[in-house]
Amino acid sequence: VENLKIKFHDIIIVNEKLTNINTKSSCYLTKLESEILTYLIIEKESSKKYIQENILNIKSTIQTNSLDSHLTRIRKKLSEINTSVKIQSKSEKLIIVI
């Protein structure tokens, strides 16, 4: 979706660009990272299985660390722009917190 603006706490995502509104520091997300983060911001919480199947399009029967790899990169980028927004994993759940 072009020009979709998603704002949450001190971050905003516009066209896959992640920006800290307060510090103006920013970085770019891949299309999938942007979709995962946007989905989590909107839903606040999700199962890993849901994201794996519906965003990454990987069947739940397939064993993969793909989602964890994406999450690691998203967390790194959130940390890079010094936001207090965090993604927490609790067993099979993902939660976005401040």
Side-chain angles (χ1 to χ4, degrees), residues 16-92:
E16 296 166 15
K17 184 178 183 182
L18 175 66
T19 306
N20 180 322
I21 298 160
N22 301 329
T23 65
K24 305 283 184 270
S25 50
S26 65
C27 62
Y28 285 91
L29 299 165
T30 65
K31 188 174 183 311
L32 282 172
E33 289 167 354
S34 177
E35 283 178 34
I36 293 167
L37 187 54
T38 299
Y39 178 76
L40 279 173
I41 288 170
I42 293 166
E43 296 298 322
K44 304 294 178 257
E45 168 176 314
S46 173
S47 68
K48 287 184 174 181
K49 185 178 169 188
Y50 180 88
I51 292 175
Q52 187 168 308
E53 290 179 356
N54 297 282
I55 298 176
L56 300 177
N57 296 318
I58 299 168
K59 287 187 182 71
S60 60
T61 51
I62 297 171
Q63 281 297 308
T64 173
N65 289 332
S66 178
L67 176 56
D68 291 321
S69 302
H70 288 295
L71 289 170
T72 300
R73 288 195 294 276
I74 294 168
R75 287 182 175 120
K76 201 169 163 185
K77 290 175 182 182
L78 286 170
S79 151
E80 234 173 74
I81 64 163
N82 296 313
T83 175
S84 54
V85 175
K86 302 268 181 273
I87 297 172
Q88 289 184 343
S89 301
K90 291 197 170 137
S91 64
E92 285 307 300

